[in-house]
Amino acid sequence: ILVNYDDMTAPCGSGNFGSAESYLSGGNFVKRARTALKRTDIDVHAILALAKNGDRTICKMLEEYADVFAVTLYNYATIYSPE
């Protein structure tokens, strides 16, 4: 499901940009965090530590994650149960 067609920072494994997978998969989230922070040493544990310490970039990314997740769930619910 496409959630943001013009976000070239969110590549998907299929070669598209801005799909739900681009934002919601763990691997892509880590890649995007590395890019946003300009650090190659970031992993999930570092992301969680940064979030716990209130890092603005990571907190903003996590807010975006929650928004995209909510929109994606809504889209799937609408597709599979339109009533």
Side-chain angles (χ1 to χ4, degrees):
I1 287 187
L2 186 63
V3 292
N4 190 353
Y5 69 90
D6 64 348
D7 186 354
M8 294 295 133
T9 70
C12 177
S14 68
N16 293 322
F17 289 88
S19 67
E21 178 189 350
S22 303
Y23 293 96
L24 301 178
S25 76
N28 282 343
F29 190 87
V30 171
K31 287 178 191 176
R32 294 182 74 234
R34 288 175 181 160
T35 300
L37 297 170
K38 297 178 177 71
R39 292 176 53 184
T40 58
D41 63 329
I42 296 296
D43 63 7
V44 173
H45 300 288
I47 288 171
L48 294 175
L50 288 166
K52 186 176 180 180
N53 290 322
D55 181 274
R56 288 184 183 198
T57 300
I58 294 298
C59 288
K60 184 177 176 183
M61 289 183 70
L62 289 170
E63 287 175 15
E64 177 187 49
Y65 184 97
D67 290 343
V68 170
F69 189 64
V71 168
T72 300
L73 285 176
Y74 173 82
N75 287 335
Y76 277 118
T78 301
I79 289 168
Y80 290 107
S81 184
E83 304 84 41

